[in-house]
PDB file of all heavy atoms in Angstrom:
ATOM      1  N   ALA A 107     -15.195   8.844 -11.074  1.00  0.00           N
ATOM      2  CA  ALA A 107     -14.042   9.473 -10.431  1.00  0.00           C
ATOM      3  C   ALA A 107     -14.415  10.037  -9.067  1.00  0.00           C
ATOM      4  O   ALA A 107     -13.620   9.983  -8.120  1.00  0.00           O
ATOM      5  CB  ALA A 107     -13.476  10.570 -11.325  1.00  0.00           C
ATOM      6  N   SER A 111     -11.306   6.711  -4.246  1.00  0.00           N
ATOM      7  CA  SER A 111     -10.454   7.228  -3.175  1.00  0.00           C
ATOM      8  C   SER A 111      -9.086   6.574  -3.301  1.00  0.00           C
ATOM      9  O   SER A 111      -8.966   5.485  -3.869  1.00  0.00           O
ATOM     10  CB  SER A 111     -11.070   6.886  -1.813  1.00  0.00           C
ATOM     11  OG  SER A 111     -10.127   7.012  -0.767  1.00  0.00           O
ATOM     12  N   HIS A 226     -14.242  -7.291   0.870  1.00  0.00           N
ATOM     13  CA  HIS A 226     -12.918  -6.731   0.612  1.00  0.00           C
ATOM     14  C   HIS A 226     -13.149  -5.486  -0.236  1.00  0.00           C
ATOM     15  O   HIS A 226     -13.556  -5.579  -1.393  1.00  0.00           O
ATOM     16  CB  HIS A 226     -12.034  -7.735  -0.123  1.00  0.00           C
ATOM     17  CG  HIS A 226     -11.702  -8.947   0.689  1.00  0.00           C
ATOM     18  ND1 HIS A 226     -11.239 -10.122   0.119  1.00  0.00           N
ATOM     19  CD2 HIS A 226     -11.768  -9.176   2.029  1.00  0.00           C
ATOM     20  CE1 HIS A 226     -11.034 -11.012   1.076  1.00  0.00           C
ATOM     21  NE2 HIS A 226     -11.343 -10.464   2.238  1.00  0.00           N
ATOM     22  N   GLY A 239      10.480 -10.077 -22.746  1.00  0.00           N
ATOM     23  CA  GLY A 239      10.394 -10.482 -24.148  1.00  0.00           C
ATOM     24  C   GLY A 239       8.968 -10.403 -24.656  1.00  0.00           C
ATOM     25  O   GLY A 239       8.117  -9.680 -24.135  1.00  0.00           O
ATOM     26  N   VAL A 252      -7.126  -5.588 -23.675  1.00  0.00           N
ATOM     27  CA  VAL A 252      -7.229  -4.126 -23.718  1.00  0.00           C
ATOM     28  C   VAL A 252      -7.574  -3.603 -25.109  1.00  0.00           C
ATOM     29  O   VAL A 252      -7.809  -2.398 -25.273  1.00  0.00           O
ATOM     30  CB  VAL A 252      -5.924  -3.454 -23.220  1.00  0.00           C
ATOM     31  CG1 VAL A 252      -5.644  -3.834 -21.781  1.00  0.00           C
ATOM     32  CG2 VAL A 252      -4.743  -3.798 -24.109  1.00  0.00           C
ATOM     33  N   PRO A 256     -13.786  -1.257 -22.800  1.00  0.00           N
ATOM     34  CA  PRO A 256     -13.713  -1.534 -21.357  1.00  0.00           C
ATOM     35  C   PRO A 256     -15.076  -1.503 -20.681  1.00  0.00           C
ATOM     36  O   PRO A 256     -16.041  -0.920 -21.203  1.00  0.00           O
ATOM     37  CB  PRO A 256     -12.823  -0.388 -20.838  1.00  0.00           C
ATOM     38  CG  PRO A 256     -13.082   0.732 -21.789  1.00  0.00           C
ATOM     39  CD  PRO A 256     -13.296   0.090 -23.137  1.00  0.00           C
ATOM     40  N   ASP A 264      -6.087  13.180  -9.802  1.00  0.00           N
ATOM     41  CA  ASP A 264      -4.631  13.172  -9.848  1.00  0.00           C
ATOM     42  C   ASP A 264      -4.086  13.037 -11.268  1.00  0.00           C
ATOM     43  O   ASP A 264      -2.874  12.956 -11.474  1.00  0.00           O
ATOM     44  CB  ASP A 264      -4.068  12.050  -8.964  1.00  0.00           C
ATOM     45  CG  ASP A 264      -4.575  10.663  -9.375  1.00  0.00           C
ATOM     46  OD1 ASP A 264      -5.290  10.550 -10.388  1.00  0.00           O
ATOM     47  OD2 ASP A 264      -4.251   9.698  -8.660  1.00  0.00           O
ATOM     48  N   ARG A 280      -7.428 -20.069 -18.294  1.00  0.00           N
ATOM     49  CA  ARG A 280      -6.484 -21.177 -18.142  1.00  0.00           C
ATOM     50  C   ARG A 280      -5.055 -20.731 -18.452  1.00  0.00           C
ATOM     51  O   ARG A 280      -4.100 -21.154 -17.790  1.00  0.00           O
ATOM     52  CB  ARG A 280      -6.887 -22.338 -19.064  1.00  0.00           C
ATOM     53  CG  ARG A 280      -8.101 -23.116 -18.573  1.00  0.00           C
ATOM     54  CD  ARG A 280      -8.245 -24.428 -19.325  1.00  0.00           C
ATOM     55  NE  ARG A 280      -8.512 -24.211 -20.746  1.00  0.00           N
ATOM     56  CZ  ARG A 280      -9.728 -24.064 -21.272  1.00  0.00           C
ATOM     57  NH1 ARG A 280     -10.794 -24.116 -20.478  1.00  0.00           N
ATOM     58  NH2 ARG A 280      -9.882 -23.887 -22.570  1.00  0.00           N
ATOM     59  N   LEU A 292       5.483 -10.320  -4.548  1.00  0.00           N
ATOM     60  CA  LEU A 292       5.904  -9.435  -3.469  1.00  0.00           C
ATOM     61  C   LEU A 292       4.750  -8.506  -3.132  1.00  0.00           C
ATOM     62  O   LEU A 292       4.124  -7.931  -4.033  1.00  0.00           O
ATOM     63  CB  LEU A 292       7.121  -8.608  -3.922  1.00  0.00           C
ATOM     64  CG  LEU A 292       7.625  -7.534  -2.955  1.00  0.00           C
ATOM     65  CD1 LEU A 292       8.369  -8.180  -1.790  1.00  0.00           C
ATOM     66  CD2 LEU A 292       8.540  -6.541  -3.686  1.00  0.00           C
ATOM     67  N   THR A 326       6.173  -6.514 -12.916  1.00  0.00           N
ATOM     68  CA  THR A 326       7.028  -5.329 -12.906  1.00  0.00           C
ATOM     69  C   THR A 326       8.178  -5.415 -13.897  1.00  0.00           C
ATOM     70  O   THR A 326       8.943  -4.461 -14.029  1.00  0.00           O
ATOM     71  CB  THR A 326       7.580  -5.050 -11.492  1.00  0.00           C
ATOM     72  OG1 THR A 326       8.207  -6.221 -10.983  1.00  0.00           O
ATOM     73  CG2 THR A 326       6.473  -4.602 -10.573  1.00  0.00           C
ATOM     74  N   ARG A 328       7.353  -5.857 -17.077  1.00  0.00           N
ATOM     75  CA  ARG A 328       6.670  -5.078 -18.116  1.00  0.00           C
ATOM     76  C   ARG A 328       6.275  -3.689 -17.625  1.00  0.00           C
ATOM     77  O   ARG A 328       6.285  -2.732 -18.394  1.00  0.00           O
ATOM     78  CB  ARG A 328       5.414  -5.817 -18.581  1.00  0.00           C
ATOM     79  CG  ARG A 328       5.650  -7.210 -19.142  1.00  0.00           C
ATOM     80  CD  ARG A 328       4.403  -7.736 -19.805  1.00  0.00           C
ATOM     81  NE  ARG A 328       4.123  -7.003 -21.034  1.00  0.00           N
ATOM     82  CZ  ARG A 328       2.934  -6.969 -21.624  1.00  0.00           C
ATOM     83  NH1 ARG A 328       1.899  -7.584 -21.055  1.00  0.00           N
ATOM     84  NH2 ARG A 328       2.758  -6.305 -22.741  1.00  0.00           N
ATOM     85  N   ARG A 334       8.513   5.007  -3.567  1.00  0.00           N
ATOM     86  CA  ARG A 334       8.686   6.258  -2.840  1.00  0.00           C
ATOM     87  C   ARG A 334       8.809   5.970  -1.347  1.00  0.00           C
ATOM     88  O   ARG A 334       8.476   4.888  -0.888  1.00  0.00           O
ATOM     89  CB  ARG A 334       7.499   7.194  -3.112  1.00  0.00           C
ATOM     90  CG  ARG A 334       7.444   7.666  -4.561  1.00  0.00           C
ATOM     91  CD  ARG A 334       6.251   8.537  -4.821  1.00  0.00           C
ATOM     92  NE  ARG A 334       6.274   9.092  -6.162  1.00  0.00           N
ATOM     93  CZ  ARG A 334       5.216   9.516  -6.816  1.00  0.00           C
ATOM     94  NH1 ARG A 334       4.019   9.448  -6.248  1.00  0.00           N
ATOM     95  NH2 ARG A 334       5.330  10.014  -8.037  1.00  0.00           N
ATOM     96  N   ASN A 380      23.431   6.599   5.280  1.00  0.00           N
ATOM     97  CA  ASN A 380      22.153   6.935   5.896  1.00  0.00           C
ATOM     98  C   ASN A 380      21.984   8.446   6.005  1.00  0.00           C
ATOM     99  O   ASN A 380      22.898   9.148   6.446  1.00  0.00           O
ATOM    100  CB  ASN A 380      22.051   6.316   7.286  1.00  0.00           C
ATOM    101  CG  ASN A 380      22.146   4.808   7.252  1.00  0.00           C
ATOM    102  OD1 ASN A 380      23.061   4.224   7.832  1.00  0.00           O
ATOM    103  ND2 ASN A 380      21.220   4.154   6.566  1.00  0.00           N
ATOM    104  N   PRO A 464      13.746   7.140  -0.791  1.00  0.00           N
ATOM    105  CA  PRO A 464      13.188   5.816  -1.109  1.00  0.00           C
ATOM    106  C   PRO A 464      14.243   4.725  -1.254  1.00  0.00           C
ATOM    107  O   PRO A 464      15.405   4.980  -1.580  1.00  0.00           O
ATOM    108  CB  PRO A 464      12.459   6.048  -2.442  1.00  0.00           C
ATOM    109  CG  PRO A 464      13.056   7.289  -3.015  1.00  0.00           C
ATOM    110  CD  PRO A 464      13.468   8.123  -1.856  1.00  0.00           C
TER     111      PRO A 464
END
Side-chain angles (χ1 to χ4, degrees):
S111 163
H226 294 162
V252 299
D264 58 5
R280 286 194 296 272
L292 175 75
T326 53
R328 302 191 70 200
R334 293 178 174 157
N380 300 118

